[in-house]
Each structure stands twice: as structure tokens, then as C-alpha cells.
Amino acid sequence: MATIHTNCLIIGSGPAGYTAAIYASRANLNPIVIEGVLPGGQLTTTTEIENFPGYPEGITGSEMMDELRQQAERFGAVVNEGIIEKIDFSARPFIAVDDSGNEYEAKTVIIATGASAKYLGINDEKTYAGRGVSACATCDGFFYRKKVVAVVGGGDTACEEATYLSNLAAKVYMIVRKDYLRASKVMQQRVMDNPKIEVLFNTNTVSLFGDGKVQGANLVRFKGTDKEELFSIDIDGFFLGIGHKPNTEFLNNQITLDEGGYIVTQGHSTATNIPGVFAAGDVADPHYRQAVTSAGQGCKAALDAERFLLENQ
């Protein structure tokens, strides 16, 4: 199969990948986007987006990503289906191979593969995805004003999500499988002092229920012991707070990652430890994980790639 040459290979779509493609196209870099396992990224699983500038009436995640893709293609970006399975960063130009055996030779690479939310693994998480199940309180909390929600997890992420939601919801349950919180002392205290948050220790989620949307959760306390107790709570929203996993496996440890597996970028730029390789969006952002910040990083990555090519002809 013939090798496909490009000045800029963008691995991953979503706000970061498509925005990088828009800017790279306008800079005449003739970028190629490899969409990845979920074309459009995680936002395509979000029913309504109301916090992205320029959409006063809101927009679905799928619609927004479709518009971003069309905008990138309008300026000449090539958007291909596929998953990059391996890539060699040992020398420029870089060589990448997708799951169909297509080989790409790229002078620069922008990694925008995102981070996947960790799920419990119960079937109801998929059944109610976008209909009460969420992995982002900042994204979806607005829809649960004065309602009752639950957050699963006992670490800093869960405590942050619960605290954020307590400013919107009428009540927040924290479902914690251990008998303690793993979060930092400050976050623990913040949760325990919050009258809107009730922590359910030693508790696991069995299933969710509801007619078309989440209306409650079936739980078990002291699972597998002689004190095991089944009970249910009425909730309107179920938030996963057990962390995210950056999609970096295919990099095969060629790029410097932090302890959480996120790509480490240099200073204020999107540059990685490999000259000519840049990272944007959730794959390099353990803190914000918002569509608008990912789009901004996609812009920066394309500008960084353009500057790199000018300086390294």
C-alpha cells in the first residue's frame, strides 16, 4: 500500500483535533486527520452543550463536531476514518500506521486522542448515557439544578465533582466503596462540611433504573459480608468521578507522560519531548477537560507546528 505524505498528521478528532485541522489548513499545511475510535470524540456522547461560546441556544455534541469537521474540510483538511495503531518517532519524517494498514509519513504530528472516562462496568451506564449518566459535572451539572444527583468515587476527582454539583443540585450523594475518602485532607473536609453532600461509605452501585432516563440507583452496602444490605436511592443524575484514562497506549512510551499518563508539554507551548510532535486537548490536560480549552489547545498546536516547519525546513 502506498505511503501517504503530509506536513501535519493530526491523530484524533474532537474539539482539539478539528480545531488544529482548521488552523493547519489555513496555514497551507495540508493536514490529514485520523478520526480515531470515536469520530468527533467524547462530546458526541453529550446530548446538549450550552457552555461553548457562540451557541446561545445550545447544540448537541454530534452537531457541533460535525460542524467543526465540515469547517476543517472547507479549508482543505483531509479527514480519514481509522485508528493509528503504531507510530515511530525515532526520526523525522515520522511514520504512522493505521488499523487498515495505511502508512502515513508526517513532518509534524499533533496528538489529540483525548482521555476516556473510567466507568464502573455496569450495563446501565451505557443504557442511560446522556440520559442521566455523565462523566463531567462541569459539562452537565447545569441540567441538574435543584435536583438530586449521585457521584461515584472517593478521590479528589469525585470530591471536586460533588462540591461543584452541590452549588447547583438540591442534594448530592457520594457513593464510596471504601470506608474512607482517598482525597486530599482539604477536599475531604470540604465534602464532610457541606450540608448538601451525603457520603454513603462501604457502598457499591448495583444498577440504575428509570423510565427513559435515570430516576434512581440500586446500591449495596457492605457487599459480601454478613452485614450486606441492598437499598435504593432516588436520583436524577449519576456522575462518574473515578477518573479518566488518557488515550496514549499507541505511543509505546515514546512520549514523556506524567504520573497520570497524560502527555507532558513544554512550558506554555504544546510541544512534547519529541521535536515536531505536539499534543492538544484532554490527552495533555488532566485539569480542565473542557471543549473550549481543547479547541484553544488545538489552535496552539497548529500554530506551533507551523512555526516548527518554518524553522526546520
Side-chain angles (χ1 to χ4, degrees), residues 147-182:
K147 295 185 179 182
V148 179
V149 299
V151 176
V152 179
D156 280 325
T157 298
C159 288
E160 289 169 2
E161 300 270 280
T163 301
Y164 176 83
L165 289 166
S166 71
N167 294 317
L168 300 166
K171 181 180 179 64
V172 180
Y173 289 104
M174 282 192 70
I175 303 170
V176 183
R177 63 187 179 89
K178 296 183 180 293
D179 60 358
Y180 60 89
L181 294 172
R182 295 180 293 103

Short mmCIF file of all heavy atoms in Angstrom, two decimals, residues 147-182:
data_model
loop_
_atom_site.label_atom_id
_atom_site.label_comp_id
_atom_site.label_asym_id
_atom_site.label_seq_id
_atom_site.Cartn_x
_atom_site.Cartn_y
_atom_site.Cartn_z
N LYS A 147 -32.02 19.53 41.63
CA LYS A 147 -32.36 18.12 41.57
C LYS A 147 -31.43 17.31 42.47
O LYS A 147 -30.54 17.86 43.11
CB LYS A 147 -32.29 17.62 40.12
CG LYS A 147 -33.33 18.29 39.20
CD LYS A 147 -33.31 17.69 37.80
CE LYS A 147 -34.37 18.36 36.92
NZ LYS A 147 -34.41 17.76 35.56
N VAL A 148 -31.64 16.01 42.51
CA VAL A 148 -30.83 15.13 43.35
C VAL A 148 -29.90 14.30 42.45
O VAL A 148 -30.36 13.68 41.49
CB VAL A 148 -31.72 14.19 44.19
CG1 VAL A 148 -30.86 13.27 45.06
CG2 VAL A 148 -32.66 15.02 45.08
N VAL A 149 -28.62 14.30 42.79
CA VAL A 149 -27.65 13.58 41.97
C VAL A 149 -26.75 12.73 42.86
O VAL A 149 -26.70 12.90 44.08
CB VAL A 149 -26.78 14.55 41.14
CG1 VAL A 149 -27.64 15.37 40.19
CG2 VAL A 149 -25.96 15.45 42.05
N ALA A 150 -26.03 11.82 42.23
CA ALA A 150 -25.06 10.98 42.93
C ALA A 150 -23.73 11.04 42.19
O ALA A 150 -23.70 11.11 40.96
CB ALA A 150 -25.55 9.54 43.02
N VAL A 151 -22.65 10.99 42.94
CA VAL A 151 -21.30 10.94 42.38
C VAL A 151 -20.63 9.68 42.89
O VAL A 151 -20.64 9.40 44.09
CB VAL A 151 -20.47 12.17 42.80
CG1 VAL A 151 -19.03 12.04 42.29
CG2 VAL A 151 -21.10 13.46 42.29
N VAL A 152 -20.05 8.91 41.99
CA VAL A 152 -19.35 7.68 42.37
C VAL A 152 -17.87 7.97 42.48
O VAL A 152 -17.27 8.55 41.58
CB VAL A 152 -19.58 6.56 41.34
CG1 VAL A 152 -18.82 5.31 41.74
CG2 VAL A 152 -21.05 6.25 41.21
N GLY A 153 -17.26 7.54 43.58
CA GLY A 153 -15.83 7.71 43.76
C GLY A 153 -15.50 8.33 45.09
O GLY A 153 -16.36 8.96 45.74
N GLY A 154 -14.24 8.17 45.50
CA GLY A 154 -13.83 8.71 46.80
C GLY A 154 -12.54 9.49 46.75
O GLY A 154 -11.99 9.86 47.79
N GLY A 155 -12.02 9.77 45.54
CA GLY A 155 -10.78 10.52 45.40
C GLY A 155 -11.03 11.99 45.18
O GLY A 155 -12.15 12.49 45.32
N ASP A 156 -9.97 12.71 44.81
CA ASP A 156 -10.08 14.15 44.59
C ASP A 156 -11.07 14.49 43.48
O ASP A 156 -11.84 15.44 43.60
CB ASP A 156 -8.71 14.74 44.23
CG ASP A 156 -7.84 14.96 45.46
OD1 ASP A 156 -8.39 15.31 46.51
OD2 ASP A 156 -6.62 14.79 45.36
N THR A 157 -11.06 13.68 42.40
CA THR A 157 -11.98 13.95 41.29
C THR A 157 -13.43 13.90 41.76
O THR A 157 -14.22 14.81 41.47
CB THR A 157 -11.77 12.93 40.15
OG1 THR A 157 -10.45 13.06 39.64
CG2 THR A 157 -12.77 13.15 39.03
N ALA A 158 -13.78 12.85 42.49
CA ALA A 158 -15.16 12.70 42.97
C ALA A 158 -15.53 13.83 43.93
O ALA A 158 -16.65 14.37 43.87
CB ALA A 158 -15.32 11.35 43.65
N CYS A 159 -14.61 14.18 44.82
CA CYS A 159 -14.90 15.25 45.78
C CYS A 159 -15.07 16.59 45.08
O CYS A 159 -15.95 17.39 45.44
CB CYS A 159 -13.78 15.34 46.82
SG CYS A 159 -13.74 13.98 48.00
N GLU A 160 -14.25 16.85 44.07
CA GLU A 160 -14.39 18.07 43.30
C GLU A 160 -15.72 18.11 42.56
O GLU A 160 -16.40 19.14 42.52
CB GLU A 160 -13.23 18.21 42.31
CG GLU A 160 -11.89 18.50 42.98
CD GLU A 160 -10.73 18.37 42.01
OE1 GLU A 160 -10.98 18.07 40.82
OE2 GLU A 160 -9.58 18.55 42.45
N GLU A 161 -16.09 16.98 41.96
CA GLU A 161 -17.36 16.90 41.25
C GLU A 161 -18.54 17.12 42.20
O GLU A 161 -19.48 17.86 41.90
CB GLU A 161 -17.50 15.53 40.57
CG GLU A 161 -16.41 15.22 39.56
CD GLU A 161 -16.75 15.67 38.15
OE1 GLU A 161 -17.50 14.97 37.47
OE2 GLU A 161 -16.25 16.73 37.75
N ALA A 162 -18.48 16.46 43.35
CA ALA A 162 -19.57 16.58 44.33
C ALA A 162 -19.70 18.01 44.85
O ALA A 162 -20.81 18.54 44.99
CB ALA A 162 -19.33 15.62 45.49
N THR A 163 -18.56 18.63 45.12
CA THR A 163 -18.56 20.01 45.62
C THR A 163 -19.13 20.95 44.57
O THR A 163 -19.94 21.84 44.87
CB THR A 163 -17.14 20.45 46.02
OG1 THR A 163 -16.65 19.56 47.03
CG2 THR A 163 -17.14 21.87 46.55
N TYR A 164 -18.70 20.76 43.32
CA TYR A 164 -19.22 21.60 42.24
C TYR A 164 -20.73 21.42 42.10
O TYR A 164 -21.49 22.40 42.01
CB TYR A 164 -18.52 21.24 40.93
CG TYR A 164 -19.07 21.98 39.73
CD1 TYR A 164 -18.65 23.27 39.42
CD2 TYR A 164 -20.04 21.39 38.91
CE1 TYR A 164 -19.17 23.96 38.33
CE2 TYR A 164 -20.56 22.07 37.82
CZ TYR A 164 -20.12 23.35 37.54
OH TYR A 164 -20.65 24.03 36.46
N LEU A 165 -21.18 20.17 42.11
CA LEU A 165 -22.61 19.90 41.94
C LEU A 165 -23.44 20.43 43.09
O LEU A 165 -24.62 20.78 42.92
CB LEU A 165 -22.83 18.39 41.77
CG LEU A 165 -22.36 17.80 40.44
CD1 LEU A 165 -22.30 16.29 40.51
CD2 LEU A 165 -23.26 18.25 39.29
N SER A 166 -22.86 20.48 44.28
CA SER A 166 -23.61 20.96 45.45
C SER A 166 -24.02 22.42 45.30
O SER A 166 -24.96 22.87 45.97
CB SER A 166 -22.78 20.78 46.73
OG SER A 166 -21.69 21.70 46.76
N ASN A 167 -23.34 23.15 44.42
CA ASN A 167 -23.72 24.55 44.18
C ASN A 167 -24.91 24.66 43.24
O ASN A 167 -25.47 25.75 43.07
CB ASN A 167 -22.53 25.31 43.57
CG ASN A 167 -21.37 25.43 44.54
OD1 ASN A 167 -21.56 25.71 45.71
ND2 ASN A 167 -20.16 25.21 44.04
N LEU A 168 -25.29 23.54 42.62
CA LEU A 168 -26.39 23.53 41.67
C LEU A 168 -27.55 22.65 42.14
O LEU A 168 -28.72 23.06 42.07
CB LEU A 168 -25.89 23.02 40.31
CG LEU A 168 -24.78 23.82 39.63
CD1 LEU A 168 -24.18 23.02 38.49
CD2 LEU A 168 -25.33 25.14 39.12
N ALA A 169 -27.23 21.45 42.59
CA ALA A 169 -28.26 20.47 42.94
C ALA A 169 -28.83 20.70 44.33
O ALA A 169 -28.24 21.38 45.17
CB ALA A 169 -27.65 19.06 42.86
N ALA A 170 -30.00 20.10 44.54
CA ALA A 170 -30.62 20.18 45.87
C ALA A 170 -29.90 19.28 46.86
O ALA A 170 -29.79 19.60 48.05
CB ALA A 170 -32.09 19.79 45.77
N LYS A 171 -29.40 18.14 46.36
CA LYS A 171 -28.71 17.18 47.21
C LYS A 171 -27.74 16.37 46.37
O LYS A 171 -28.02 16.07 45.21
CB LYS A 171 -29.70 16.24 47.90
CG LYS A 171 -29.06 15.21 48.85
CD LYS A 171 -30.11 14.32 49.48
CE LYS A 171 -29.49 13.28 50.40
NZ LYS A 171 -28.81 13.88 51.56
N VAL A 172 -26.60 16.01 46.97
CA VAL A 172 -25.60 15.21 46.29
C VAL A 172 -25.21 14.02 47.17
O VAL A 172 -24.79 14.19 48.31
CB VAL A 172 -24.32 16.02 45.99
CG1 VAL A 172 -23.30 15.14 45.27
CG2 VAL A 172 -24.64 17.26 45.16
N TYR A 173 -25.40 12.82 46.63
CA TYR A 173 -24.90 11.61 47.30
C TYR A 173 -23.50 11.32 46.76
O TYR A 173 -23.24 11.47 45.56
CB TYR A 173 -25.78 10.40 46.99
CG TYR A 173 -27.14 10.39 47.63
CD1 TYR A 173 -28.28 10.68 46.87
CD2 TYR A 173 -27.31 10.06 48.97
CE1 TYR A 173 -29.55 10.65 47.44
CE2 TYR A 173 -28.58 10.02 49.55
CZ TYR A 173 -29.68 10.32 48.78
OH TYR A 173 -30.94 10.28 49.35
N MET A 174 -22.61 10.90 47.62
CA MET A 174 -21.34 10.34 47.18
C MET A 174 -21.34 8.86 47.49
O MET A 174 -21.54 8.47 48.64
CB MET A 174 -20.16 11.03 47.87
CG MET A 174 -19.80 12.37 47.30
SD MET A 174 -18.19 12.97 47.93
CE MET A 174 -17.06 11.85 47.10
N ILE A 175 -21.17 8.03 46.46
CA ILE A 175 -21.16 6.58 46.63
C ILE A 175 -19.71 6.13 46.68
O ILE A 175 -19.00 6.18 45.68
CB ILE A 175 -21.93 5.90 45.48
CG1 ILE A 175 -23.36 6.44 45.39
CG2 ILE A 175 -21.92 4.39 45.65
CD1 ILE A 175 -24.12 6.01 44.15
N VAL A 176 -19.27 5.70 47.86
CA VAL A 176 -17.86 5.38 48.10
C VAL A 176 -17.75 3.93 48.54
O VAL A 176 -18.33 3.54 49.55
CB VAL A 176 -17.26 6.30 49.18
CG1 VAL A 176 -15.77 6.01 49.37
CG2 VAL A 176 -17.48 7.76 48.81
N ARG A 177 -17.01 3.12 47.79
CA ARG A 177 -16.95 1.70 48.10
C ARG A 177 -16.12 1.38 49.33
O ARG A 177 -16.31 0.33 49.95
CB ARG A 177 -16.43 0.90 46.90
CG ARG A 177 -15.04 1.20 46.46
CD ARG A 177 -14.68 0.48 45.18
NE ARG A 177 -13.34 0.77 44.71
CZ ARG A 177 -12.27 0.08 45.05
NH1 ARG A 177 -12.38 -0.95 45.88
NH2 ARG A 177 -11.08 0.40 44.58
N LYS A 178 -15.20 2.26 49.70
CA LYS A 178 -14.40 2.04 50.91
C LYS A 178 -15.03 2.75 52.10
O LYS A 178 -16.05 3.44 51.95
CB LYS A 178 -12.96 2.54 50.68
CG LYS A 178 -12.22 1.77 49.60
CD LYS A 178 -10.79 2.25 49.48
CE LYS A 178 -10.02 1.49 48.40
NZ LYS A 178 -9.84 0.07 48.77
N ASP A 179 -14.42 2.59 53.27
CA ASP A 179 -14.97 3.25 54.46
C ASP A 179 -14.28 4.58 54.73
O ASP A 179 -14.34 5.11 55.84
CB ASP A 179 -14.87 2.33 55.69
CG ASP A 179 -13.43 1.94 56.01
OD1 ASP A 179 -12.52 2.35 55.27
OD2 ASP A 179 -13.22 1.23 57.01
N TYR A 180 -13.62 5.11 53.71
CA TYR A 180 -12.93 6.39 53.86
C TYR A 180 -12.80 7.04 52.48
O TYR A 180 -12.97 6.38 51.44
CB TYR A 180 -11.54 6.20 54.47
CG TYR A 180 -10.63 5.31 53.64
CD1 TYR A 180 -9.82 5.85 52.63
CD2 TYR A 180 -10.59 3.93 53.85
CE1 TYR A 180 -9.00 5.04 51.86
CE2 TYR A 180 -9.78 3.11 53.08
CZ TYR A 180 -8.98 3.68 52.10
OH TYR A 180 -8.17 2.87 51.32
N LEU A 181 -12.51 8.33 52.48
CA LEU A 181 -12.26 9.07 51.25
C LEU A 181 -10.76 9.06 50.97
O LEU A 181 -9.95 9.25 51.88
CB LEU A 181 -12.75 10.52 51.37
CG LEU A 181 -14.26 10.72 51.50
CD1 LEU A 181 -14.57 12.19 51.80
CD2 LEU A 181 -14.99 10.28 50.24
N ARG A 182 -10.39 8.86 49.71
CA ARG A 182 -8.99 8.84 49.33
C ARG A 182 -8.48 10.22 48.97
O ARG A 182 -7.28 10.41 48.71
CB ARG A 182 -8.78 7.92 48.12
CG ARG A 182 -9.05 6.45 48.40
CD ARG A 182 -8.82 5.61 47.15
NE ARG A 182 -9.80 5.90 46.10
CZ ARG A 182 -9.55 6.63 45.03
NH1 ARG A 182 -8.37 7.19 44.85
NH2 ARG A 182 -10.50 6.83 44.12
#
